[in-house]
Amino acid sequence: MEKKQPELRVRRTRKLLWKALIELTTEKGYDSVTVKDITERAMINRVTFYRHYEDKNDLLMRGMDEIMDDLNERSEPPLTNWRVSVDQPPSNALVFFEHVQEYAQFYRVMLGKRGVPELGERMQRHIDTLFQERIELVRHTESSRIGKTLVPTDLAVYSISTTVMSIAKWWVDNDLPCTAQEIALYTTRLIVLGAYRSIGVEFELPEELRV
Amino acid sequence: MEKKQPELRVRRTRKLLWKALIELTTEKGYDSVTVKDITERAMINRVTFYRHYEDKNDLLMRGMDEIMDDLNERSEPPLTNWRVSVDQPPSNALVFFEHVQEYAQFYRVMLGKRGVPELGERMQRHIDTLFQERIELVRHTESSRIGKTLVPTDLAVYSISTTVMSIAKWWVDNDLPCTAQEIALYTTRLIVLGAYRSIGVEFELPEELRV
Amino acid sequence: MEKKQPELRVRRTRKLLWKALIELTTEKGYDSVTVKDITERAMINRVTFYRHYEDKNDLLMRGMDEIMDDLNERSEPPLTNWRVSVDQPPSNALVFFEHVQEYAQFYRVMLGKRGVPELGERMQRHIDTLFQERIELVRHTESSRIGKTLVPTDLAVYSISTTVMSIAKWWVDNDLPCTAQEIALYTTRLIVLGAYRSIGVEFELPEELRV
Amino acid sequence: MEKKQPELRVRRTRKLLWKALIELTTEKGYDSVTVKDITERAMINRVTFYRHYEDKNDLLMRGMDEIMDDLNERSEPPLTNWRVSVDQPPSNALVFFEHVQEYAQFYRVMLGKRGVPELGERMQRHIDTLFQERIELVRHTESSRIGKTLVPTDLAVYSISTTVMSIAKWWVDNDLPCTAQEIALYTTRLIVLGAYRSIGVEFELPEELRV
DNA sequence: ACGTAAGCGAGACGGTACGTCGCGTCTTACC
DNA sequence: GGTAAGACGCGACGTACCGTCTCGCTTACGT
């Protein structure tokens, strides 16, 4: 059973408000945007705004929810037989960056300095979850040998999710200068070489990269 | 020639206002703090606040300036004969984390989710500057061999400064669970193994870490 | 030809709305009553209210119309051979107070301080009309002698209608402490002794009241 | 020790607001006047209004207070040796109507149908107080003989204060068609002949008025 | 040490935005 | 055709903060 679609007018109103929020945040930064600004831009009465959302932040959160829901639906559970590699990004990395690409304008705005730190944190939690599961799997897979730990694991995991988020930010800020496939690969390389290596997860390294 | 100290009362007023800002930001987050809050906490008349600062942000920026000045004074110019190593953090890494340690309360508050993203960005720029110079040096030093580039250099540099900042945040958020020396070492390892390696900067790796 | 009765549902709706208006005015005063209050109390949809009435005041006016129509139907034209007396209220005085008695709740509410001044004014106009005709008759009837005028006639007439209305208000406010016959008599006495006398209308005064 | 005058600006602000209230009430009726109307007319910021008064009604009440205070200061306590007469209004009647005359614009507006019933009630209470004391005195003065009671005393007293108020209203509504002295005399006559007589208070009646 | 210029407290004020309430209109769907 | 349910535009409300101004008091500094 699927949930009933709201009325046409309601959907139109909400869409216009969301659009106005993104536009205005792009123009003057999230903090500077007022509810009045949003409703004027959307050509919606201010009171009507409050009939749908508690405040500016509520509008943002609900929009973010939808986007995060979309990401969650796309993400696959971590594979059990998974090979750590510097040549092939894992499927969820690809899913993540394709998702970012799709909502590029949104992410560019919201991850920017005048955007909403909250968004980065929510996504980071999402990534944390995926990676922690993954790392456990990786550490217990025969294809990975465990070496010496150079950095505390929790610090390394934290640095991983930060790295992913910051790369996503860099990617959209620079107007997607490469494909999702490529950026996912770069991300994988940085993480696998750095954080993974630091916590002793070993991996297949092509001959020419060996030290 | 030293600049004349402001009058006693003026220094007292400014100090009280700064103290109040930090306290209140700790308690309820920077955005929620109002000028009225600050002046009430500092027991300073609201008009007096405006005699010293343009607004809440001005107060913050001037405080940040002083802290950043302190950091800049401590930082040394990058060494020309510099050896990339996973065992010994470069001196500026140590300087940086010792500085963070000194102002730990300030950084904990301001880097936190209810803090001020602006601060992170200013510091990141600082770090970017240091690292870009350093990387140039490293790449042209005979002690480092240049290998294959796995990740675009600008992306790697960006990920470096992000990593440093995020580690600093993790460090203060977790109440300095290790010494400045240690955290500087971990940071160096993550960066050297990951980002440096990705852009082909090779380094001395102890025997037992070799793949 | 009688006017067609509205549909059953319509009559029910209007009756419920009227009832709710009176109740709510009793409870919190006319000004504080909102259309929403009325429709909630009447368990009628707010839009339905607007299908029947323009606004809260329209509902009141139409109800008042019906009540005033009732009063007008009962009132008799002033008699030509009419004796001014302090012992016997004229028939219309009786009609008036019996009418007030019948709609006591309504009058108590609407003449009260949180009621509707408009009502008092409409009734006062009604009374004015009756009295002006009457006074003309009285002044030209041989049974009344015209004495010296102590007060301008228009002022006296104004004071008469005010007196009647204020007595009606006093009567319902004090929960009808005497019969309609009695209150009509008191009213007549106050008017005949005061206003009538002041404009020179003389009257039969029982022996024991003479000065 | 006299109470300290508020600051010049404050007095100016309040005066402008009061003036605007009276003007606007004259133009469109008290109920239709909004705080926004008042502040725009007074060229005062709306927020400043709320710094001085709780709401529109508070502004009115405080203005009324001052006017009532003025009336109270002028009114004399009822004389003990007091002669009821139809030729000479008692001094307080004169005081009252002179007061009304002075604030004629205010009373015209506020006693009118689009004015504020509250005002009439406050004044009526003032008058009630004066008259009740006076009637007690009158009834126990040798110069007045007590005759038969034709109307309940409380009803008669009520009708007195109503009469005074309604005459005041008539007077200002008709643009003061006679002097305060005259209107006070008419009022006295109506009351003395009507209500006083009805409760048995006898008085000096010139020969030609005797029945 | 002491007079004076500054810093400061107190609070009125104009202004922008907030979130809420009530009004009256409109549409859709039911019966 | 009467009614329910509810979205919507509109105008006013009373409040919170902002940043400015003016009026006096007091206090630390320089001569």
Side-chain angles (χ1 to χ4, degrees):
Chain A
M1 173 180 170
E2 62 191 33
K3 72 175 74 172
K4 201 168 50 187
Q5 275 275 55
E7 200 192 339
L8 181 65
R9 277 179 303 173
V10 173
R11 274 183 295 148
R12 179 173 58 88
T13 297
R14 294 189 180 161
K15 184 175 175 179
L16 288 169
L17 289 172
W18 176 254
K19 193 162 160 288
L21 174 65
I22 300 302
E23 281 177 25
L24 287 161
T25 302
T26 308
E27 293 167 17
K28 49 195 278 198
Y30 181 74
D31 281 348
S32 305
V33 176
T34 70
V35 173
K36 203 187 166 208
D37 289 337
I38 296 170
T39 54
E40 279 177 357
R41 175 67 59 96
M43 290 191 296
I44 295 291
N45 190 280
R46 201 163 62 89
V47 174
T48 300
F49 177 95
Y50 289 105
R51 288 199 182 97
H52 292 274
Y53 303 103
E54 283 190 7
D55 50 25
K56 181 180 68 164
N57 212 50
D58 189 36
L59 168 58
L60 174 65
M61 288 306 155
R62 297 206 199 195
M64 249 159 77
D65 284 345
E66 287 183 19
I67 290 173
M68 291 301 287
D69 286 350
D70 177 67
L71 176 59
N72 282 322
E73 279 168 20
R74 296 188 192 194
S75 298
E76 298 163 12
L79 298 173
T80 46
N81 60 346
W82 184 72
R83 302 205 68 187
V84 180
S85 162
V86 293
D87 290 328
Q88 178 62 32
S91 67
N92 270 348
L94 207 51
V95 161
F96 174 74
F97 284 104
E98 280 167 350
H99 165 88
V100 170
Q101 183 169 36
E102 195 157 314
Y103 296 95
Q105 196 206 358
F106 170 73
Y107 282 113
R108 179 162 34 240
V109 171
M110 293 306 173
L111 294 178
K113 95 162 116 177
R114 295 191 311 176
V116 186
E118 172 87 13
L119 173 62
E121 283 151 23
R122 280 183 65 171
M123 302 202 68
Q124 203 164 330
R125 280 197 296 277
H126 172 83
I127 294 162
D128 258 348
T129 309
L130 290 178
F131 268 94
Q132 266 166 10
E133 295 174 3
R134 181 154 301 180
I135 282 162
E136 285 309 300
L137 287 170
V138 169
R139 292 184 113 163
H140 297 90
T141 299
E142 62 244 83
S143 65
S144 311
R145 288 178 296 123
I146 302 299
K148 195 177 169 192
T149 294
L150 298 174
V151 165
T153 304
D154 49 355
L155 175 57
V157 170
Y158 186 83
S159 96
I160 287 171
S161 54
T162 310
T163 299
V164 174
M165 281 313 302
S166 69
I167 290 175
K169 178 165 156 38
W170 178 89
W171 194 41
V172 294
D173 270 350
N174 289 279
D175 293 314
L176 313 179
C178 55
T179 65
Q181 174 77 30
E182 285 163 350
I183 198 78
L185 184 58
Y186 300 149
T187 308
T188 306
R189 284 174 175 167
L190 283 166
I191 290 170
V192 167
L193 288 170
Y196 275 28
R197 190 75 181 78
S198 301
I199 56 176
V201 174
E202 304 210 342
F203 47 88
E204 310 264 329
L205 197 61
E207 179 61 34
E208 71 277 17
L209 290 176
R210 300 223 175 116
V211 181
Chain B
M1 171 185 169
E2 61 190 34
K3 70 176 77 173
K4 200 169 52 186
Q5 273 274 58
E7 200 191 338
L8 180 64
R9 281 177 299 175
V10 173
R11 276 182 295 145
R12 177 172 58 89
T13 297
R14 292 188 182 163
K15 183 175 174 180
L16 288 170
L17 290 171
W18 176 255
K19 192 162 161 288
L21 175 65
I22 301 302
E23 280 178 25
L24 287 161
T25 302
T26 308
E27 292 168 18
K28 48 194 279 197
Y30 181 74
D31 280 349
S32 305
V33 176
T34 70
V35 173
K36 202 184 165 207
D37 289 337
I38 296 169
T39 54
E40 279 178 357
R41 174 68 58 96
M43 292 191 294
I44 297 291
N45 189 280
R46 202 162 63 87
V47 175
T48 302
F49 177 95
Y50 287 106
R51 285 203 187 91
H52 292 275
Y53 304 103
E54 282 191 5
D55 51 25
K56 181 180 67 163
N57 212 49
D58 188 37
L59 168 58
L60 174 65
M61 288 307 155
R62 299 206 199 194
M64 248 160 77
D65 284 344
E66 288 183 18
I67 291 173
M68 291 301 288
D69 286 350
D70 176 68
L71 176 58
N72 281 322
E73 279 167 22
R74 297 189 193 194
S75 298
E76 298 163 11
L79 298 173
T80 45
N81 60 343
W82 185 72
R83 300 202 90 233
V84 180
S85 163
V86 295
D87 289 327
Q88 177 63 32
S91 68
N92 271 347
L94 207 51
V95 161
F96 174 74
F97 284 105
E98 280 166 351
H99 165 88
V100 169
Q101 185 170 33
E102 197 158 313
Y103 296 94
Q105 194 207 356
F106 171 74
Y107 282 114
R108 180 162 32 241
V109 170
M110 292 306 173
L111 295 177
K113 96 162 114 177
R114 297 191 310 175
V116 186
E118 173 86 13
L119 172 61
E121 282 150 24
R122 279 183 67 169
M123 302 201 68
Q124 201 164 333
R125 279 196 297 277
H126 171 84
I127 294 162
D128 256 349
T129 308
L130 292 178
F131 268 94
Q132 264 164 10
E133 295 174 3
R134 182 156 301 179
I135 282 164
E136 284 309 301
L137 287 171
V138 169
R139 291 184 111 162
H140 297 92
T141 299
E142 61 246 80
S143 66
S144 310
R145 289 178 293 123
I146 301 299
K148 193 178 170 191
T149 295
L150 297 174
V151 165
T153 304
D154 49 355
L155 175 57
V157 170
Y158 187 84
S159 99
I160 287 170
S161 55
T162 310
T163 299
V164 174
M165 281 313 302
S166 69
I167 289 175
K169 177 166 156 40
W170 178 90
W171 194 41
V172 292
D173 270 351
N174 289 280
D175 293 314
L176 314 179
C178 53
T179 64
Q181 173 78 29
E182 285 164 349
I183 198 77
L185 182 59
Y186 299 149
T187 307
T188 305
R189 283 174 176 168
L190 282 166
I191 289 169
V192 167
L193 288 171
Y196 275 28
R197 191 81 181 77
S198 301
I199 56 175
V201 175
E202 306 212 341
F203 47 87
E204 309 266 328
L205 199 59
E207 180 61 34
E208 73 276 16
L209 290 176
R210 300 223 175 115
V211 181
Chain C
M1 173 184 167
E2 61 189 33
K3 71 174 76 172
K4 199 168 53 187
Q5 274 275 59
E7 199 193 338
L8 181 64
R9 281 179 301 176
V10 173
R11 275 184 295 145
R12 178 172 57 89
T13 298
R14 292 186 181 166
K15 183 174 174 180
L16 288 169
L17 290 171
W18 176 254
K19 193 163 159 289
L21 174 66
I22 300 302
E23 280 177 25
L24 288 161
T25 302
T26 310
E27 293 167 18
K28 48 196 277 194
Y30 181 75
D31 280 349
S32 305
V33 176
T34 70
V35 173
K36 200 183 167 209
D37 288 338
I38 297 169
T39 53
E40 279 177 357
R41 175 69 59 96
M43 291 191 296
I44 296 291
N45 190 280
R46 202 162 62 87
V47 175
T48 303
F49 177 95
Y50 287 107
R51 285 213 185 79
H52 293 276
Y53 304 103
E54 282 191 6
D55 51 24
K56 180 179 71 164
N57 212 50
D58 187 37
L59 167 59
L60 174 66
M61 287 308 156
R62 298 207 200 192
M64 246 159 78
D65 284 346
E66 288 182 20
I67 290 172
M68 290 302 288
D69 286 350
D70 176 68
L71 175 58
N72 281 323
E73 278 167 21
R74 297 188 193 195
S75 298
E76 297 164 12
L79 299 174
T80 45
N81 60 344
W82 184 72
R83 301 202 89 233
V84 181
S85 163
V86 294
D87 289 329
Q88 179 60 32
S91 67
N92 271 347
L94 207 51
V95 162
F96 174 74
F97 284 105
E98 280 167 349
H99 165 88
V100 169
Q101 184 169 35
E102 197 158 312
Y103 295 95
Q105 195 209 356
F106 170 75
Y107 282 114
R108 178 162 35 239
V109 171
M110 293 305 172
L111 294 178
K113 97 161 113 175
R114 296 191 311 175
V116 187
E118 173 87 14
L119 173 62
E121 283 150 24
R122 279 182 68 170
M123 302 202 68
Q124 201 164 332
R125 280 196 296 278
H126 171 85
I127 294 160
D128 255 350
T129 308
L130 291 178
F131 268 95
Q132 265 165 9
E133 295 174 2
R134 183 155 301 179
I135 282 163
E136 285 308 301
L137 287 170
V138 170
R139 293 183 111 163
H140 296 92
T141 300
E142 61 246 82
S143 65
S144 312
R145 289 177 294 121
I146 302 299
K148 193 177 169 191
T149 295
L150 297 174
V151 166
T153 304
D154 48 356
L155 175 57
V157 171
Y158 186 83
S159 98
I160 287 171
S161 54
T162 309
T163 301
V164 175
M165 281 313 302
S166 69
I167 290 176
K169 178 165 157 39
W170 178 90
W171 194 40
V172 293
D173 270 351
N174 289 278
D175 293 314
L176 312 179
C178 55
T179 64
Q181 173 77 30
E182 285 163 350
I183 199 76
L185 182 59
Y186 300 149
T187 307
T188 305
R189 282 173 176 168
L190 282 165
I191 290 169
V192 166
L193 288 170
Y196 276 28
R197 193 80 180 76
S198 301
I199 56 176
V201 175
E202 304 209 343
F203 48 88
E204 310 267 328
L205 198 63
E207 179 62 32
E208 73 277 17
L209 290 175
R210 299 221 176 116
V211 181
Chain D
M1 172 180 171
E2 61 192 31
K3 73 174 74 172
K4 199 170 51 188
Q5 274 275 56
E7 200 192 337
L8 180 65
R9 277 179 304 174
V10 173
R11 275 184 294 148
R12 179 173 57 87
T13 297
R14 294 190 180 161
K15 184 175 174 180
L16 288 169
L17 290 171
W18 176 255
K19 194 163 158 287
L21 174 66
I22 300 302
E23 280 178 25
L24 287 161
T25 303
T26 310
E27 292 167 19
K28 49 195 279 196
Y30 181 75
D31 281 348
S32 305
V33 175
T34 69
V35 173
K36 203 185 166 209
D37 289 338
I38 296 170
T39 55
E40 280 177 356
R41 175 67 60 97
M43 290 191 296
I44 296 289
N45 190 281
R46 199 163 65 87
V47 174
T48 301
F49 177 94
Y50 289 107
R51 288 200 183 97
H52 293 273
Y53 304 103
E54 284 190 6
D55 51 25
K56 181 181 67 165
N57 212 50
D58 189 37
L59 167 59
L60 174 65
M61 288 306 155
R62 298 206 199 194
M64 250 159 78
D65 283 346
E66 288 184 19
I67 290 173
M68 291 301 288
D69 286 349
D70 177 67
L71 176 57
N72 282 322
E73 279 168 21
R74 297 188 192 193
S75 297
E76 299 163 10
L79 300 172
T80 46
N81 60 344
W82 184 72
R83 297 200 56 131
V84 180
S85 163
V86 293
D87 289 329
Q88 177 63 30
S91 67
N92 271 347
L94 207 50
V95 162
F96 174 75
F97 284 105
E98 280 166 350
H99 166 88
V100 169
Q101 184 170 36
E102 195 158 314
Y103 296 93
Q105 196 207 356
F106 170 74
Y107 282 114
R108 179 162 35 240
V109 171
M110 293 306 172
L111 294 177
K113 96 162 116 175
R114 296 190 311 175
V116 186
E118 172 87 13
L119 173 62
E121 283 150 23
R122 280 183 66 170
M123 302 203 67
Q124 203 164 329
R125 279 196 297 278
H126 172 84
I127 295 162
D128 257 349
T129 308
L130 291 178
F131 268 96
Q132 264 165 8
E133 294 174 3
R134 182 154 302 179
I135 282 164
E136 284 309 299
L137 287 170
V138 170
R139 292 183 113 163
H140 296 92
T141 299
E142 61 244 83
S143 65
S144 313
R145 286 177 296 122
I146 302 300
K148 193 179 170 190
T149 295
L150 297 174
V151 165
T153 305
D154 48 355
L155 176 58
V157 170
Y158 186 84
S159 96
I160 286 170
S161 55
T162 310
T163 299
V164 174
M165 281 313 302
S166 68
I167 289 175
K169 178 165 157 40
W170 177 90
W171 195 40
V172 293
D173 271 351
N174 290 277
D175 293 313
L176 313 179
C178 55
T179 65
Q181 174 78 28
E182 285 164 350
I183 198 77
L185 183 59
Y186 299 150
T187 307
T188 306
R189 283 173 177 169
L190 282 165
I191 289 170
V192 167
L193 288 171
Y196 275 29
R197 190 75 181 78
S198 301
I199 57 176
V201 176
E202 304 210 342
F203 46 87
E204 310 264 330
L205 200 61
E207 179 62 33
E208 72 276 19
L209 290 175
R210 302 224 174 111
V211 181

